[in-house]
Amino acid sequence: MMELYIIGASGFASEITEYIEQEIKILGYFDVDKTSYEIYDFNANFLGSEGEFEFSKSSKAIIAISNPKIREKIYQNLKNKKVEFPNIYCKNSLVSKKAQISEGAIICPYCTITSNAKIGLNFQANIYSYVAHDCVIGDNVTFAPAVKCNGNVIIGDNVYIGTGAIIHQGSVKRPLIIGENSSIAAGSVVTKNIPANSVVFGNPAIPLTKENLKRRR
């Protein structure tokens, strides 16, 4: 049985615990403080800050934190301590044998990753999300629940995509591109390229500005 630390001790960590605890021994939880940990009925100890912890050789961990930039920082710090980051494929998820997924991924129940998808480090796919064929996804990308990413889409590093968002299909010659460090609001429908460092919302998705909010109301 794999032994594993969980970085994060809030709601998502609680969900992940229930998904995996029958197959993986959880050694403990890390977080910036104990407030969230005390809300949930975790079966392993609170260990404080992962930055101050002395990990043993070949320790394994997953990062149950949705913020892409925080996840990136924690990953880099712990890699320097030789911590390993296995991929977690929860029961009832489907991952194509032709998909390529880098380490640190968490694929929650009822998620699907289809053929020829290429996914970077620390990907999180919450329940009922999917990645369709021939998509390329960067590092530290977060899919909130029920994100629908259709085929031939390119997503840059550190992108957060909110609950229920739909990413329209691109094509082989003209993939739909979402630039790095962008955030897609819940329920958005992305029909065209999104520049890097953008925040968009709505159907179709447009930049989140005061003017655009007034128009949509």
Side-chain angles (χ1 to χ4, degrees), residues 110-186:
Y110 309 109
C111 290
T112 301
I113 312 295
T114 68
S115 62
N116 298 322
K118 297 179 180 178
I119 298 175
L121 299 167
N122 302 318
F123 178 60
Q124 288 183 3
N126 275 264
I127 54 174
Y128 297 107
S129 293
Y130 71 74
V131 177
H133 64 88
D134 301 299
C135 288
V136 179
I137 296 177
D139 297 340
N140 312 302
V141 172
T142 300
F143 280 16
V147 169
K148 299 172 177 62
C149 180
N150 292 290
N152 292 298
V153 169
I154 298 174
I155 300 176
D157 295 344
N158 303 323
V159 169
Y160 181 91
I161 302 180
T163 299
I166 299 172
I167 315 300
H168 274 217
Q169 182 161 330
S171 65
V172 174
K173 293 184 178 180
R174 295 186 64 183
L176 190 152
I177 300 172
I178 299 175
E180 63 183 8
N181 302 314
S182 294
S183 294
I184 312 300

Side-chain angles (χ1 to χ4, degrees), residues 50-172:
E50 75 282 346
E52 300 171 1
F53 188 78
E54 293 295 329
F55 291 92
S56 60
K57 186 177 180 180
S58 301
S59 293
K60 295 179 174 60
I62 57 172
I63 308 174
I65 296 172
S66 63
N67 186 297
K69 292 185 179 179
I70 292 175
R71 203 155 69 245
E72 178 186 33
K73 183 178 179 180
I74 292 172
Y75 173 82
Q76 290 176 346
N77 288 340
L78 295 188
K79 284 298 285 186
N80 290 334
K81 296 184 177 184
K82 309 301 182 184
V83 174
E84 298 177 359
F85 292 86
N87 288 340
I88 302 298
Y89 302 146
C90 298
K91 286 185 177 180
N92 300 317
S93 65
L94 174 62
V95 177
S96 169
K97 293 179 180 178
K98 296 181 180 180
Q100 300 176 32
I101 304 179
S102 299
E103 68 179 5
I106 301 174
I107 311 299
C108 293
Y110 309 109
C111 290
T112 301
I113 312 295
T114 68
S115 62
N116 298 322
K118 297 179 180 178
I119 298 175
L121 299 167
N122 302 318
F123 178 60
Q124 288 183 3
N126 275 264
I127 54 174
Y128 297 107
S129 293
Y130 71 74
V131 177
H133 64 88
D134 301 299
C135 288
V136 179
I137 296 177
D139 297 340
N140 312 302
V141 172
T142 300
F143 280 16
V147 169
K148 299 172 177 62
C149 180
N150 292 290
N152 292 298
V153 169
I154 298 174
I155 300 176
D157 295 344
N158 303 323
V159 169
Y160 181 91
I161 302 180
T163 299
I166 299 172
I167 315 300
H168 274 217
Q169 182 161 330
S171 65
V172 174

